[in-house]
Amino acid sequence: MFADRARIYVRSGKGGDGHVSFRREKYVPNGGPDGGDGGNGGSIIFEVDDGLNTLTDYRHVRKYHAEDGENGSKRNCRGKNGEDLILKVPEGTVLKEAESGKVIADMSGSNRRFLLLKGGRGGNGNQHYATSTMQVPKYAQPGQPAKELELLMELKVIADVGLVGFPNVGKSTFLTKVSNARPKVANYHFTTLNPHLGVVDLPDAKGFVIADIPGLIEGASEGVGLGFEFLRHIERTRVIIHIVDAASTEGRDPIEDIYAINKELEAYNPEIAKRPQVIAANKTDMLYEDEGNCPIQKIKEEFEPKGIPVYPISAISGKGIRQLLYCVREMLDKLPEEPVVFEQEFDPEFMLGNSKEPYTVTFDEETGEYLVEGPRIEKMLGYTNLDSEKGFAFFQNFLKLNGILEQLEQLGIEEGDTVRMYGLSFDYYK
């Protein structure tokens, strides 16, 4: 089965601890400290692999962690750095924070390599703490802790043009006719359960990539059937070819079908519904002569005044397809070349304690409350769903990693005291 979605847990490597030791050699009775530094932990890195086209591997293995750094040792020996863990993904993979669903990185376009979690830095050995007044330091620095994150990975196919329409309207047949793609074709609903990509080559014109998006049904935007699985693959397309059964071979009204599918696109993502669209009125080879072009004319009268061109075609015989493809090419030429790339909404370095943005922890004597404010706090609250159990646990971990709990304790906070953050109040308990 085509795997375009996976949920995994990743953890960077912990930094090795610094070592406490002293030089002990013959004829050197008072050797100084010689504890070595700990090695750095390995990082979690994502990298695009052009040889991959699914996320199947991540369905079978759910947990990934980089190697920890080794501890330092005597004689100023530094611990070995942990190996980075490089995870290969197909182009078009979007990495999201699992709890909030916010985008961390889009592995598309020029973003071929992304450092997700940096390994913990190794701790200093006791040799770093020798001074004129403290010549035998008996302590060393522990390594920085590992960072962990639960990820949602989604593969959103990269194509210039997306084919949409109800099941069994001829999308797979059309794709087979115009490109090198060879999806299985049969006369039953949900023939296509996987998105298929094909390259369209046009004489005297630039080619383009076209994707057969699996057949939609009403309610798909609400998750009915395999709605979400299908709809995510159309998010990157720049032009939409809407294929309808103009001959009504299954008794449906083609005009109602078009409105129904557009309603699902609008409900799922209004930006998709605004993209240029062309209607391919398929199965004209099944229209009887005495009907003339009546169904086609009705579709044209309904949609061409709205700026949506209509082309009668037969995916079986190839009639009308050439004109349709050149129309699509003209549409693409008028649009920006840049692929649709999703912007970052969630920054792991910020959320896991490495942010340089300021914050303050103070005590308000008038209200008797502790105030935690600043850009770092405001952004964190925007990231986190505090109503969920996992979200609140993430929030507590953020306060700990960023040293906020430690500062509250230094100010003398006690159990039951109130902490206020931008209009939200919490009771403090250890």
Side-chain angles (χ1 to χ4, degrees):
M1 181 176 175
F2 179 79
D4 59 0
R5 188 178 172 93
R7 190 178 182 125
I8 65 172
Y9 163 87
V10 292
R11 195 205 77 172
S12 64
K14 174 190 176 298
D17 295 336
H19 188 68
V20 176
S21 64
F22 299 91
R23 186 180 175 192
R24 291 292 180 264
E25 295 179 25
K26 193 175 183 181
Y27 308 119
V28 186
N30 297 313
D34 68 350
D37 301 341
N40 297 328
S43 300
I44 298 288
I45 299 170
F46 279 84
E47 200 170 80
V48 171
D49 185 340
D50 292 326
L52 297 176
N53 55 19
T54 77
L55 297 173
T56 302
D57 293 344
Y58 298 98
R59 288 285 187 90
H60 304 297
V61 181
R62 300 295 182 100
K63 294 185 177 181
Y64 298 86
H65 56 83
E67 191 177 30
D68 293 338
E70 287 186 355
N71 296 335
S73 59
K74 59 185 178 181
R75 296 184 181 178
N76 297 324
C77 289
R78 188 180 189 278
K80 179 185 173 185
N81 290 338
E83 291 286 337
D84 294 338
L85 180 61
I86 299 176
L87 301 176
K88 302 293 184 72
V89 294
E91 185 175 6
T93 301
V94 179
L95 309 178
K96 296 182 176 181
E97 195 277 316
E99 174 62 28
S100 66
K102 294 183 180 293
V103 175
I104 296 173
D106 185 351
M107 306 302 293
S108 306
S110 60
N111 189 22
R112 310 282 298 180
R113 184 180 172 92
F114 180 74
L115 173 60
L116 179 73
L117 297 178
K118 190 172 178 60
R121 186 168 56 81
N124 291 330
N126 70 332
Q127 60 172 309
H128 292 275
Y129 301 105
T131 66
S132 58
T133 57
M134 173 61 71
Q135 296 182 4
V136 285
K138 296 181 180 178
Y139 55 87
Q141 184 183 35
Q144 288 183 342
K147 297 170 191 163
E148 56 186 31
L149 198 60
E150 195 165 3
L151 287 182
L152 183 63
M153 305 166 68
E154 291 184 350
L155 177 59
K156 301 175 189 284
V157 298
I158 298 177
D160 301 301
V161 178
L163 303 179
V164 301
F166 271 85
N168 213 25
V169 296
K171 297 192 305 300
S172 295
T173 305
F174 176 84
L175 186 65
T176 302
K177 195 76 174 179
V178 304
S179 75
N180 56 354
R182 293 293 176 265
K184 292 181 181 179
V185 178
N187 188 28
Y188 53 87
H189 283 195
F190 295 106
T191 300
T192 304
L193 291 179
N194 307 333
H196 291 283
L197 295 179
V199 178
V200 177
D201 294 317
L202 295 175
D204 306 320
K206 186 179 177 182
F208 53 86
V209 179
I210 192 168
D212 171 16
I213 308 301
L216 300 177
I217 60 175
E218 290 186 79
S221 61
E222 300 170 3
V224 175
L226 296 178
F228 290 138
E229 310 302 317
F230 293 167
L231 283 164
R232 83 166 58 93
H233 292 294
I234 203 171
E235 292 191 64
R236 295 192 196 273
T237 57
R238 296 187 290 151
V239 171
I240 295 172
I241 298 178
H242 198 143
I243 299 184
V244 292
D245 178 1
S248 301
T249 57
E250 296 190 348
R252 294 198 310 267
D253 183 339
I255 293 177
E256 290 181 3
D257 280 2
I258 293 169
Y259 279 121
I261 294 296
N262 283 342
K263 182 180 177 182
E264 295 305 320
L265 296 179
E266 172 77 26
Y268 179 74
N269 186 341
E271 289 300 315
I272 296 175
K274 295 176 184 176
R275 289 178 193 164
Q277 189 173 131
V278 57
I279 294 171
N282 191 25
K283 303 191 180 182
T284 55
D285 54 291
M286 301 183 72
L287 290 172
Y288 294 108
E289 290 294 328
D290 58 351
E291 285 184 321
N293 285 327
C294 184
I296 303 296
Q297 193 59 36
K298 287 181 179 178
I299 296 172
K300 286 188 173 185
E301 289 174 356
E302 182 70 25
F303 293 100
E304 288 193 337
K306 299 176 181 179
I308 303 176
V310 178
Y311 284 83
I313 68 164
S314 169
I316 294 289
S317 67
K319 180 182 177 182
I321 287 180
R322 180 184 175 88
Q323 294 90 329
L324 169 66
L325 294 179
Y326 276 98
C327 170
V328 171
R329 181 66 261 176
E330 289 179 9
M331 286 180 166
L332 289 170
D333 289 339
K334 295 175 183 176
L335 296 172
E337 285 281 346
E338 296 80 18
V340 176
V341 177
F342 298 95
E343 297 294 328
Q344 185 180 48
E345 301 171 325
F346 185 101
D347 183 354
E349 287 296 296
F350 166 82
M351 289 300 290
L352 300 178
N354 283 348
S355 173
K356 295 181 180 178
E357 291 188 302
Y359 69 89
T360 59
V361 181
T362 58
F363 177 70
D364 187 338
E365 295 185 358
E366 290 186 10
T367 61
E369 296 178 330
Y370 292 84
L371 306 181
V372 182
E373 297 177 312
R376 193 188 311 188
I377 308 305
E378 190 172 15
K379 189 180 290 187
M380 178 274 297
L381 292 172
Y383 280 155
T384 312
N385 177 17
L386 297 177
D387 293 330
S388 72
E389 184 178 342
K390 282 188 175 181
F392 196 75
F394 194 92
F395 162 72
Q396 290 177 306
N397 194 41
F398 173 88
L399 298 181
K400 181 179 179 181
L401 287 172
N402 284 270
I404 295 170
L405 292 181
E406 184 179 350
Q407 291 192 38
L408 286 170
E409 290 171 359
Q410 289 174 356
L411 288 175
I413 195 169
E414 296 181 356
E415 290 200 3
D417 287 348
T418 301
V419 179
R420 184 153 47 89
M421 302 181 189
Y422 289 97
L424 297 174
S425 295
F426 307 93
D427 291 333
Y428 174 80
Y429 292 99
K430 274 196 174 184

